[in-house]
Amino acid sequence: MNFKELLEFLRQLDQNNSKEWMDRHRRTYHQLRDSFIQWLDGLDTRLAQIDPEYYPTPGKAGINRINNNLMFHPNKPVYKDHFGAGLDKAPKTADFYIQIGIRESLLAGGLWRPDPNRLRSVRDAIDYDGDAFLKILNKPSFKKVFGNLYDDQKLTTSPKGFSKDHPHIDLIRNKTFAVVHPLTEEIILRPDFDEYIIAVYREMLPFRRFLNKAITV
């Protein structure tokens, strides 16, 4: 995958964000998209080799549409400024997300504002064994790669059924349980970028496994 060409295409698209421009450059877009899918296929194979619980996700199944959904977000540009994809996409679980873009590139995983039932399951898991979850979050190498949980919506009070004095109430109040590792263009263009991604994936595994166990038990 030639990420330099991909980023240059995204910069040009960002400056000319219209269907007319995309129609004139659709052949280039499809070539880059096909290359990105092939790259995802290779990554999918490698991740399946290191993770016995991995859910095979071909590139075509993982890649996101480049079109913004203007029906719900009419003020957004026609096209996104990035290529994004989810891997290890077992239905309704915490997948592994890759985004390569001109404003924000990242590796992420976890649960983004899960539905009430799954959110309750995660909170129950923290109630049952929050020390194990904290051990994952506070591991020095994990902190170095991801920092803290992604800062998103959080209850100001305690959820129903949980005391405000619960030892893990700060965690339980979260509505999103996800972590993010930012990527620079320098990292993306490194010859060992695939190895870099695999290392981040490995570091994230215990976190995602805790969440997936919580919502599948």
Side-chain angles (χ1 to χ4, degrees), residues 5-210:
E5 288 186 2
L6 173 59
L7 291 169
E8 179 56 32
F9 174 83
L10 290 172
R11 289 189 184 99
Q12 293 180 25
L13 173 61
D14 188 59
Q15 294 170 6
N16 304 274
N17 203 310
S18 68
K19 184 178 183 301
E20 291 75 20
W21 187 90
M22 177 64 94
D23 286 343
R24 293 196 301 271
H25 298 84
R26 196 164 294 279
R27 182 177 179 181
T28 301
Y29 163 69
H30 280 294
Q31 289 173 342
L32 289 168
R33 185 178 183 276
D34 289 346
S35 293
F36 191 70
I37 288 172
Q38 290 176 9
W39 175 73
L40 291 171
D41 285 340
L43 200 56
D44 181 61
T45 298
R46 294 200 55 189
L47 293 177
Q49 292 170 347
I50 68 169
D51 178 9
E53 299 177 17
Y54 185 84
Y55 187 87
T57 310
K60 280 189 176 180
I63 193 170
N64 294 339
R65 289 170 53 86
I66 198 169
N67 304 67
N68 277 311
N69 190 330
L70 300 182
M71 180 178 293
F72 297 103
H73 303 283
N75 296 324
K76 283 191 173 184
V78 180
Y79 302 103
K80 300 170 185 174
D81 62 0
H82 61 269
F83 273 29
L87 294 178
D88 198 11
K89 289 182 65 172
K92 297 184 178 180
T93 60
D95 66 1
F96 180 70
Y97 178 69
I98 300 171
Q99 178 173 305
I100 308 294
I102 58 173
R103 291 186 176 84
E104 185 177 38
S105 298
L106 54 87
L107 303 172
L111 296 170
W112 172 264
R113 300 180 187 175
D115 60 72
N117 288 336
R118 287 189 294 163
L119 181 57
R120 177 70 195 206
S121 294
V122 174
R123 286 171 171 165
D124 285 344
I126 295 172
D127 177 42
Y128 176 74
D129 201 2
D131 288 343
F133 195 45
L134 275 179
K135 186 176 180 180
I136 294 169
L137 298 178
N138 291 330
K139 182 182 174 185
S141 57
F142 187 91
K143 296 283 284 187
K144 182 178 180 180
V145 174
F146 302 110
N148 299 315
L149 282 175
Y150 183 77
D151 187 16
D152 190 40
Q153 294 181 354
K154 198 168 186 174
L155 292 176
T156 56
T157 59
S158 303
K160 185 178 180 180
F162 296 96
S163 167
K164 66 178 181 179
D165 299 319
H166 192 289
H168 303 302
I169 194 61
D170 284 343
L171 282 174
I172 290 171
R173 284 175 175 158
N174 281 294
K175 292 185 178 181
T176 287
F177 292 88
V179 291
V180 175
H181 178 77
L183 297 170
T184 63
E185 186 168 331
E186 180 183 3
I187 291 173
I188 294 168
L189 298 180
R190 281 170 46 165
D192 64 343
F193 182 42
D194 286 15
E195 302 300 328
Y196 188 97
I197 293 174
I198 289 169
V200 174
Y201 180 89
R202 287 183 187 274
E203 191 64 53
M204 195 191 295
L205 261 182
F207 171 75
R208 293 176 53 239
R209 282 178 175 167
F210 181 94

